[in-house]
Amino acid sequence: MENLFKQSNVLETISFVVGPSPATVHSITYDSRKVTTNSCFICIKGQHVDGHQYIDSAIKNGAQVIVGSEKELMMDWYFKRPDRTFVVVHDSKKALASFASAFYQNKHKELALTGITGTNGKTTITAYIRSLINALGEPTASIGTAGVWDQYGKVNVETTTPTTPESSDLYTLFDQLRENKTTHVAMEATSIALEQGRLHGLQFDIAVHSNLRPEHLDFHNTMEHYRNAKLKLFQQANKAVVNLDDAGMSAAIINSFQGELWTYSIEQEATVMAQKLQTQQSGTSFDLIVHGKRYSVMAPIFGEHNVANLLAAVTTCMVKGYAIEEIIRCFPLVKGAPGRFQLLTDYPGRQLIFDFAHSPFAFEKLFHTIKPFSYKRLILLIAGIGVRPSYLRPEIAKAVEGKADEIVVTVDHPGDEDPETVMADVISGFINKPEHLHLVGERGEAIQKALSLADEGDLILITGICMENYQIVKGKRLPYDDLKHIHLFLEQDTKTTSA
């Protein structure tokens, strides 16, 4: 792009420029390995890596423009390579967002953006919004933990962060989605992404709040800091959707938000409410109350928490101008995200459920959700997460103690940890070590172990990463698929039965 440095949102990030007049920029990246001829390389500082350390690599790969915030270092490099353009900025993270926005000619402004934040429920709310608005006739995409999905299905893109992409990756996605005729995007906005400026410069049509509970305190240190990070989304939004049942954050949003505000609730008076919930094998029926008018509805979802998530999506659709009668007609088409209380039907004679539960609160909701199900025994797989703080692992065992007939313990994303150590941390949380406890360090083998323990009529709960297609091992993302291991077991089981 020739006029990149003439854009006002780019100019306001720049302190000064040295070197030849910036050449035409062909790409923007913060990863020196992805630099090509005439790239603009932006040095951002992460938790563990500083992009300024890779300037040499970026130049060798063809970077013509180098952007960074370390003034003295940038000047040193200018004296070494006066044939390159060096741009000193006030904040590299904000510069990355502004440069990427300008590079793609602000295409994101052609999309209606909805941001969803909260500790639990973001992924499911995002999926519900995408499926509802698509059913209502508007091509809609979603971005988050479950990956990128557009109106046609899952989009094959490289993920660089667990949930909310880095800003330049995000603007690349926006450009691709716009080219694909997408008009609406629902995306997860994590507290870390908001704090790190990945969403800098975006203005959301709607900001949606789910709830606030202790999490990511290894990054935020305090609940106040965690809450304030999430509140930043509402400073970048025109309208807000708030869960009145959440004491952690709802009041803070209501007291500070200046725009149009809508509410939803199961427990108290709100714009959109749900009452008389009844769970069945096919889903949940309830009374939906909108502006005081009552509708008897049925949706293919399970659990009170998912009814709350659906209320968030319904309220969002109403904020967008859709009539409640239109929205209700689309309820049979509501789809959750993979791995969020996902019922699998490939295992005859047994009930098999995937769920992302990996915290005490999530397990509490999960056990409550399966109460209406009929089954003989409960087979439960739980996982300690190697790349997260070790103090979280025993809490998983405490949350599930006494809840299952068989418990299989494994490891998600071992990282640099020894799987045996991770599993030992998990089981240290049991007050009384279960009699039927199985430790299997490799997740795929653990899934097959859980399946092998089940008899006809049993319910198998596979918890943890579920829908992710990789495992982080020794700093590398290794391909992985839960479903592959289920199919392998079924194939072997069929052969054994036939023999």
Side-chain angles (χ1 to χ4, degrees):
M1 182 179 181
E2 296 181 8
N3 298 320
L4 180 65
F5 293 90
K6 295 180 181 179
Q7 302 286 322
S8 59
N9 57 336
V10 169
L11 289 172
E12 64 187 22
T13 68
I14 296 174
S15 179
F16 65 87
V17 180
V18 292
S21 296
T24 300
V25 171
H26 292 168
S27 66
I28 290 176
T29 183
Y30 56 89
D31 186 340
S32 63
R33 296 166 296 184
K34 296 180 180 179
V35 167
T36 57
T37 302
N38 287 334
S39 284
C40 172
F41 174 64
I42 301 184
C43 311
I44 62 172
K45 294 182 180 180
Q47 285 181 271
H48 308 292
V49 178
D50 184 349
H52 293 86
Q53 298 172 353
Y54 296 90
I55 292 176
D56 184 46
S57 174
I59 291 175
K60 287 178 180 176
N61 287 340
Q64 184 61 40
V65 179
I66 313 295
V67 179
S69 57
E70 298 290 337
K71 178 180 176 181
E72 292 184 8
L73 180 65
M74 296 288 282
M75 289 304 298
D76 288 344
W77 270 105
Y78 166 65
F79 290 125
K80 292 178 189 175
R81 296 299 304 263
D83 59 323
R84 297 294 195 268
T85 304
F86 292 87
V87 182
V88 177
V89 295
H90 309 294
D91 184 321
S92 292
K93 283 275 190 176
K94 291 181 178 179
L96 179 65
S98 297
F99 276 58
S101 174
F103 180 79
Y104 287 108
Q105 300 177 354
N106 302 310
K107 285 282 183 67
H108 66 282
K109 293 184 178 180
E110 299 174 14
L111 295 164
L113 301 179
T114 298
I116 299 92
T117 198
T119 306
N120 301 109
K122 295 187 299 296
T123 304
T124 300
I125 293 171
T126 301
Y128 288 172
I129 291 172
R130 181 181 68 87
S131 60
L132 279 177
I133 300 180
N134 274 318
L136 287 162
E138 292 285 351
T140 303
S142 61
I143 299 171
T145 306
V148 180
W149 296 70
D150 65 10
Q151 60 268 32
Y152 304 110
K154 190 164 187 179
V155 180
N156 186 22
V157 295
E158 180 185 0
T159 56
T160 55
T161 60
T163 303
T164 310
E166 281 291 354
S167 56
S168 58
D169 298 327
L170 199 50
Y171 283 105
T172 301
L173 284 174
F174 289 153
D175 185 63
Q176 292 174 0
L177 293 171
R178 198 65 200 94
E179 289 295 316
N180 208 24
K181 309 301 182 186
T182 299
T183 57
H184 292 62
V185 176
M187 63 174 291
E188 296 181 54
T190 66
S191 58
I192 294 175
L194 287 159
E195 191 66 21
Q196 292 182 340
R198 294 184 215 160
L199 303 179
H200 173 72
L202 292 180
Q203 186 65 23
F204 291 86
D205 294 288
I206 305 169
V208 181
H209 150 250
S210 63
N211 50 62
L212 187 78
R213 289 176 176 83
E215 196 171 73
H216 301 305
L217 297 185
D218 53 321
F219 179 87
H220 294 291
N221 297 318
T222 68
M223 282 298 293
E224 182 181 10
H225 189 268
Y226 181 38
R227 182 186 300 108
N228 289 340
K230 288 192 173 296
L231 286 171
K232 290 181 179 181
L233 176 64
F234 296 86
Q235 297 167 11
Q236 297 174 228
N238 301 326
K239 301 174 184 178
V241 172
V242 179
N243 178 11
L244 287 185
D245 296 337
D246 174 55
M249 192 169 152
S250 59
I253 301 170
I254 292 169
N255 292 334
S256 62
F257 191 71
Q258 300 297 312
E260 184 179 322
L261 190 143
W262 293 56
T263 58
Y264 66 96
S265 171
I266 293 175
E267 300 172 1
Q268 53 193 299
E269 290 291 327
T271 315
V272 179
M273 303 165 57
Q275 294 179 349
K276 299 181 180 179
L277 281 62
Q278 291 188 328
T279 303
Q280 299 150 26
Q281 289 290 111
S282 58
T284 304
S285 63
F286 58 96
D287 283 358
L288 179 66
I289 304 165
V290 179
H291 295 308
K293 189 173 181 180
R294 189 177 294 264
Y295 304 83
S296 294
V297 300
M298 174 79 180
I301 63 174
F302 297 90
E304 183 178 302
H305 61 291
N306 278 329
V307 173
N309 293 335
L310 181 60
L311 293 183
V314 168
T315 310
T316 300
C317 291
M318 291 183 65
V319 175
K320 287 181 173 291
Y322 295 104
I324 188 60
E325 291 80 9
E326 290 181 282
I327 299 167
I328 291 171
R329 282 196 291 271
C330 297
F331 277 12
L333 301 175
V334 166
K335 291 182 180 178
R340 298 307 203 273
F341 204 84
Q342 180 182 1
L343 285 135
L344 302 181
T345 57
D346 297 342
Y347 197 8
R350 288 84 165 171
Q351 299 177 87
L352 180 58
I353 297 172
F354 275 173
D355 195 82
F356 194 61
H358 59 278
S359 69
F361 178 73
F363 277 109
E364 180 184 342
K365 292 192 301 182
L366 177 59
F367 292 132
H368 182 75
T369 302
I370 65 170
K371 276 185 177 181
F373 283 66
S374 298
Y375 55 88
K376 291 180 179 177
R377 297 187 308 149
L378 177 61
I379 316 298
L380 174 65
L381 182 146
I382 60 175
I385 304 176
V387 295
R388 289 211 176 173
S390 59
Y391 68 82
L392 297 173
R393 298 166 192 161
E395 299 302 313
I396 298 171
K398 291 177 185 177
V400 306
E401 186 164 2
K403 301 291 188 181
D405 298 284
E406 302 273 1
I407 298 178
V408 179
V409 180
T410 189
V411 181
D412 284 345
H413 299 311
D416 295 323
E417 294 264 21
D418 181 350
E420 296 294 328
T421 301
V422 176
M423 292 189 294
D425 288 340
V426 172
I427 65 173
S428 70
F430 288 117
I431 297 172
N432 297 303
K433 189 175 178 181
E435 181 181 351
H436 299 284
L437 182 67
H438 313 270
L439 274 60
V440 185
E442 200 279 318
R443 183 176 173 88
E445 293 177 7
I447 286 176
Q448 295 194 45
K449 177 65 177 178
L451 294 175
S452 73
L453 293 168
D455 295 322
E456 188 167 345
D458 290 344
L459 172 60
I460 309 150
L461 286 183
I462 306 294
T463 69
I465 60 172
C466 297
M467 77 292 179
E468 292 184 354
N469 59 4
Y470 64 90
Q471 283 267 10
I472 299 173
V473 182
K474 303 293 183 185
K476 295 182 179 179
R477 292 190 174 202
L478 304 182
Y480 175 80
D481 184 358
D482 272 353
L483 292 176
K484 173 185 174 183
H485 292 281
I486 289 176
H487 293 148
L488 279 173
F489 176 83
L490 293 176
E491 287 175 10
Q492 293 167 1
D493 192 48
T494 301
K495 290 177 182 177
T496 303
T497 305
S498 300

